[in-house]
Amino acid sequence: FFQKTLTAVKNWFTLFGWSKGQNPISIPYSLRRDVCKVQMTSSQEKGFNQNLHKDTMTVYDMVFHLSGQLLPGITLRQSLPLDPVERMLQLHWQHSTLLAFLKSQGAYLPHVMPEFLLEPDDYKKWIEVQTLKNGDMKNSDVFSDKHLFILEDRIFETMSKRAWTDVLLQVYKVFVLPCVSSCNISDMFSLESTQNMPRIKSEPLSSNIYSPYERTILAWLNKHYEKNRKTVWKDCQKGEI
């Protein structure tokens, strides 16, 4: 199920997440890599990066395209420090800003830590810096101290893939789903008899899980499921989706 979800997310954002047409992405690899690649600059690489800036798109370009808003304190083309530790800390702050911005728009991401969005080497640098701050820690594949999680390489890659997938799903939820037409759901059902259909309330406060836009889509899916059920399985008992 997770792999199918990841594939659907990757395909949608590849096709529709960018202002200049299709931009193939891989989760989490290109999303992590391109933020570093497009923003790393030096006097020796100035000409190279100027050309790279024209072609490489980052998650910040995506968010700006879908929301029309720049993240506070972050420009689409800003350089990163050349020092590896300072660069990692800058990226961690940028990811923190991204998560805070998405949460302010209604995204649900309490389980996603900024360090899970870093490249593996930067994640290790983050752990080293935090370990120095917190003192010596026990050697373990997974160690938790409040909000510090030390993960071995394989577990980190799994966590990072899940974190980036959830970030993109929440980007879709808060910036794309609100474009769904807010037609009256009762009118949607008036075209045919749907007496036994599961009812989905449209009132804004009727669910603490689904937004009004998600409930509109669920109602639409139920309607068409019922319509096709009667066509394909004429003589069977009522089923539920």
Side-chain angles (χ1 to χ4, degrees), residues 19-62:
S19 61
K20 298 181 180 179
Q22 297 183 23
N23 181 45
I25 66 170
S26 57
I27 302 173
Y29 310 108
S30 70
L31 297 172
R32 296 185 313 203
R33 180 190 66 236
D34 290 347
V35 172
C36 299
K37 182 195 298 183
V38 79
Q39 295 183 345
M40 288 181 64
T41 61
S42 68
S43 57
Q44 292 82 8
E45 298 173 333
K46 185 176 180 181
F48 172 74
N49 279 279
Q50 284 178 341
N51 293 330
L52 194 60
H53 285 176
K54 297 178 181 178
D55 301 321
T56 305
M57 307 289 283
T58 72
V59 66
Y60 307 119
D61 294 282
M62 175 196 296

Side-chain angles (χ1 to χ4, degrees), residues 154-179:
R154 180 181 57 82
I155 297 177
F156 171 76
E157 284 294 350
T158 300
M159 185 71 76
S160 185
K161 179 180 292 187
R162 181 58 184 264
W164 274 108
T165 301
D166 289 347
V167 165
L168 293 183
L169 284 170
Q170 292 299 308
V171 167
Y172 186 90
K173 173 184 175 180
V174 298
F175 297 131
V176 180
L177 281 186
C179 298

